Amino acid sequence: MPVIFFHAGFQYFSGGFIGVDVFFVISGYLITSIILSELAQESFSVLSFYERRARRILPALFLVMLSCIPFAWFWLTPNDLRDFGESLIAVSTFSSNFLFWLESGYFEATAELKPLLHTWSLSIEEQFYLFFPLLIFFVYKFKKELVTYVVASLIFYSVFLNLGNYEANDIFYITKFRIWELCVGVFLVFVNKDKLN
């Protein structure tokens, strides 16, 4: 709700975009809980994990994309319509965060002409979940006690990157700067020791 109120222009929600950061933490927590539960039952499959993600995300995502097409066709200028076509491709490949990073800032006026701009966060999430389940699976199988340290290392790596001399746009859109948020949720699961047994 804070994100919606922020975009609707309510002055008391000027920091409402922080809701996306909270979403990343919750996502890391929930997904890791599922992975750990399946690992404990020896029923985890990376392919099944990806299949479930696709079945849960793609129908709604394609519906949003298709719903935007007629509005874009009637309201956008030819140049903006071309940009919209590029965003359709980027969204389909979960790389829209990179496209929007190259084009403009999230808070710039031109952002209002990008109907799929909000998909940047989904792209970051899916890029993270391309490698994270594999990492957890192999570390857990090798020595599950090390998982907490691996996750803590990812958090420190990402936080350390954020302390560097980067543009605000880089930190906003690029996955490596957001890993710490997802991993905070992951870490909260792993510090709960009974989940590892």
Side-chain angles (χ1 to χ4, degrees), residues 32-44 136-137 140-141 144 194-197:
T32 305
S33 296
I34 293 168
I35 292 173
L36 268 189
S37 174
E38 292 180 355
L39 282 170
Q41 298 168 14
E42 298 186 353
S43 62
F44 178 72
I136 293 302
F137 175 74
Y140 187 93
K141 289 294 184 186
K144 62 184 178 183
D194 62 317
K195 289 275 187 182
L196 291 172
N197 299 323

Side-chain angles (χ1 to χ4, degrees), residues 171-191:
I171 294 172
F172 191 86
Y173 281 118
I174 305 301
T175 306
K176 65 183 178 181
F177 298 107
R178 297 288 190 156
I179 287 175
W180 73 270
E181 295 169 324
L182 289 145
C183 282
V184 164
V186 174
F187 190 77
L188 291 173
V189 176
F190 280 108
V191 295

Side-chain angles (χ1 to χ4, degrees), residues 2-172:
V3 175
I4 293 171
F5 289 148
F6 164 73
H7 284 293
F10 289 93
Q11 70 177 61
Y12 295 111
F13 289 89
S14 60
F17 55 87
I18 196 111
V20 176
D21 305 304
V22 173
F23 166 77
F24 282 144
V25 174
I26 293 170
S27 174
Y29 182 86
L30 292 176
I31 295 299
T32 305
S33 296
I34 293 168
I35 292 173
L36 268 189
S37 174
E38 292 180 355
L39 282 170
Q41 298 168 14
E42 298 186 353
S43 62
F44 178 72
S45 162
V46 174
L47 290 178
S48 294
F49 173 83
Y50 292 145
E51 180 190 355
R52 284 196 310 269
R53 294 290 295 171
R55 282 188 296 158
R56 189 174 73 83
I57 290 169
L58 293 181
L61 180 61
F62 289 146
L63 177 63
V64 168
M65 292 166 65
L66 288 171
S67 299
C68 288
I69 290 172
F71 294 102
W73 179 263
F74 285 110
W75 284 329
L76 296 180
T77 65
N79 284 340
D80 291 328
L81 191 58
R82 185 199 66 231
D83 291 344
F84 173 72
E86 291 174 356
S87 70
L88 285 173
I89 295 168
V91 169
S92 300
T93 58
F94 296 114
S95 60
S96 61
N97 60 321
F98 292 111
L99 174 70
F100 297 131
W101 168 63
L102 292 170
E103 289 182 345
S104 66
Y106 188 79
F107 300 101
E108 293 178 13
T110 56
E112 295 175 358
L113 300 175
K114 299 181 184 300
L116 297 173
L117 181 61
H118 63 284
T119 63
W120 70 269
S121 59
L122 179 63
S123 292
I124 286 177
E125 189 186 26
E126 295 313 307
Q127 289 161 20
F128 179 76
Y129 290 131
L130 271 178
F131 79 87
F132 177 73
L134 292 169
L135 175 67
I136 293 302
F137 175 74
F138 288 117
V139 174
Y140 187 93
K141 289 294 184 186
F142 174 70
K143 192 167 185 176
K144 62 184 178 183
E145 294 82 9
L146 292 178
V147 175
T148 306
Y149 299 105
V150 169
V151 173
S153 298
L154 285 172
I155 292 172
F156 286 121
Y157 162 75
S158 185
V159 169
F160 180 75
L161 284 177
N162 280 276
L163 299 175
N165 188 21
Y166 296 97
E167 297 289 327
N169 234 26
D170 300 345
I171 294 172
F172 191 86

